[in-house]
Amino acid sequence: MNRAQQPHAVIPMKTIGILGGMSSQATAEYYRLINAGINQVRGGWNAAELLISSVNFANIEAFVRREQWDDAANYLVDKALGLERGGADFIVMATNTLHRVAPQIEAAIAIPLIHIVDVTAAAIKQQGITRVGILGTKPVMQADFYRDRFKLHGIELIAPSDRQCQIIDTIIFDELVHRIIQDESRQIYIEIMQDLGDRGAQGMVLGCTEIALLVKPADFPNLPLFDTTALHCQKAVNLALEIEPISDIVGAGSPEISTNNKVTW
């Protein structure tokens, strides 16, 4: 019997739920990186089994700019429940900023939400680093929800100045979410990262899922960069392939998270 005549058994894999559209550029990177990671491990024609709920970014932009966090939570809880009903085994939210409402989502669903801060903090701790600079939207850089989650892992965040935060935020919303990549903006980010390093940062967290489109490790070799998008996708690959058991994922507020058998690509 040749290969074409042999019956094919379904390849087991966990289904990843991606809560995306915040922005579509970041969600596209999640889709690309997760599929690349699955294929790197399994080879052949293997790709991820996943569901994507992609929201209207106009709603998200308005909620964030107007600080309507309860409205954002209600909107995203409904989408997360849809992923759960659709058969997702766990959810990754393709955004740093909207992890502001992660506790409300976690409380509403019965499947795990893989928190982007926990995954990033695990990678930072592996390098023995305790102080990192942070680039992201203004809520990520300035609000307590992100900083406090890192504190649970024993990691201190160093934020840019108020003026620098405004510049970083503007580049994200006016350029990166539209996939506008400009050398001038890259240089501005590099200068801000250098300033954070001068203030004691031992590494840099790219705390917006679009920043890696603009800044690569080769652009700033001075300190290690922690790309939250790549780390989050890597975790999703590990869980989908059961390299790491989903049962190891713990609830909000706990700093314990497995970092064994990491996949890189």
Side-chain angles (χ1 to χ4, degrees), residues 31-134:
Y31 184 82
R32 182 183 70 83
L33 289 172
I34 289 171
N35 278 299
I38 295 288
N39 190 259
Q40 177 180 300
V41 177
R42 289 278 178 86
W45 290 269
N46 282 284
E49 295 195 355
L50 51 81
L51 302 170
I52 300 176
S53 180
S54 188
V55 305
N56 181 356
F57 188 60
N59 293 324
I60 296 300
E61 187 273 344
F63 292 151
V64 172
R65 291 286 178 86
R66 300 173 187 179
E67 298 190 350
Q68 295 176 226
W69 298 112
D70 288 342
D71 292 327
N74 292 335
Y75 184 55
L76 293 177
V77 161
D78 181 64
K79 304 302 182 183
L81 288 170
L83 288 171
E84 182 177 4
R85 288 192 298 268
D89 291 297
F90 62 90
I91 292 174
V92 290
M93 187 159 45
T95 168
N96 283 270
T97 304
L98 272 297
H99 275 74
R100 170 77 176 256
V101 300
Q104 293 96 310
I105 296 173
E106 288 173 317
I109 60 177
I111 58 176
L113 175 71
I114 312 307
H115 201 293
I116 201 167
V117 168
D118 295 338
V119 175
T120 304
I124 293 169
K125 290 168 70 175
Q126 278 193 331
Q127 295 200 29
I129 291 173
T130 58
R131 301 185 77 205
V132 291
I134 176 67

Side-chain angles (χ1 to χ4, degrees), residues 7-265:
H8 173 74
V10 173
I11 300 168
M13 190 184 303
K14 298 296 185 184
T15 299
I16 303 167
I18 300 177
L19 187 51
M22 301 170 275
S23 68
S24 60
Q25 302 304 325
T27 308
E29 281 296 288
Y30 270 70
Y31 184 82
R32 182 183 70 83
L33 289 172
I34 289 171
N35 278 299
I38 295 288
N39 190 259
Q40 177 180 300
V41 177
R42 289 278 178 86
W45 290 269
N46 282 284
E49 295 195 355
L50 51 81
L51 302 170
I52 300 176
S53 180
S54 188
V55 305
N56 181 356
F57 188 60
N59 293 324
I60 296 300
E61 187 273 344
F63 292 151
V64 172
R65 291 286 178 86
R66 300 173 187 179
E67 298 190 350
Q68 295 176 226
W69 298 112
D70 288 342
D71 292 327
N74 292 335
Y75 184 55
L76 293 177
V77 161
D78 181 64
K79 304 302 182 183
L81 288 170
L83 288 171
E84 182 177 4
R85 288 192 298 268
D89 291 297
F90 62 90
I91 292 174
V92 290
M93 187 159 45
T95 168
N96 283 270
T97 304
L98 272 297
H99 275 74
R100 170 77 176 256
V101 300
Q104 293 96 310
I105 296 173
E106 288 173 317
I109 60 177
I111 58 176
L113 175 71
I114 312 307
H115 201 293
I116 201 167
V117 168
D118 295 338
V119 175
T120 304
I124 293 169
K125 290 168 70 175
Q126 278 193 331
Q127 295 200 29
I129 291 173
T130 58
R131 301 185 77 205
V132 291
I134 176 67
L135 301 182
T137 62
K138 288 176 72 174
V140 164
M141 293 183 288
Q142 297 180 327
D144 290 338
F145 80 98
Y146 205 78
R147 182 180 307 277
D148 289 349
R149 187 85 177 198
F150 270 107
K151 281 182 181 178
L152 293 172
H153 298 270
I155 296 170
E156 177 187 354
L157 294 186
I158 302 175
S161 68
D162 288 346
R163 177 178 172 277
Q164 290 171 332
C165 284
Q166 182 60 59
I167 293 169
I168 293 167
D169 187 89
T170 298
I171 290 171
I172 290 170
F173 278 101
D174 292 354
E175 298 175 21
L176 299 184
V177 300
H178 302 293
R179 210 178 186 89
I180 298 171
I181 310 300
Q182 301 196 86
D183 290 338
E184 180 182 358
S185 297
R186 180 181 297 108
Q187 188 56 43
I188 289 170
Y189 272 38
I190 290 170
E191 291 173 2
I192 293 172
M193 290 160 68
Q194 184 59 59
D195 180 59
L196 291 170
D198 292 342
R199 290 170 53 198
Q202 301 164 307
M204 297 290 157
V205 173
L206 306 185
C208 173
T209 45
E210 288 85 11
I211 291 178
L213 299 173
L214 180 68
V215 179
K216 310 294 184 185
D219 298 319
F220 191 77
N222 312 44
L223 295 171
L225 304 186
F226 297 94
D227 178 358
T228 56
T229 297
L231 291 167
H232 210 197
C233 291
Q234 175 182 287
K235 187 71 173 184
V237 168
N238 287 359
L239 294 172
L241 297 179
E242 299 187 89
I243 294 172
E244 299 180 52
I246 294 179
S247 59
D248 282 357
I249 301 301
V250 293
S254 172
E256 298 302 324
I257 194 162
S258 173
T259 58
N260 296 328
N261 301 308
K262 297 182 72 177
V263 175
T264 58
W265 56 85

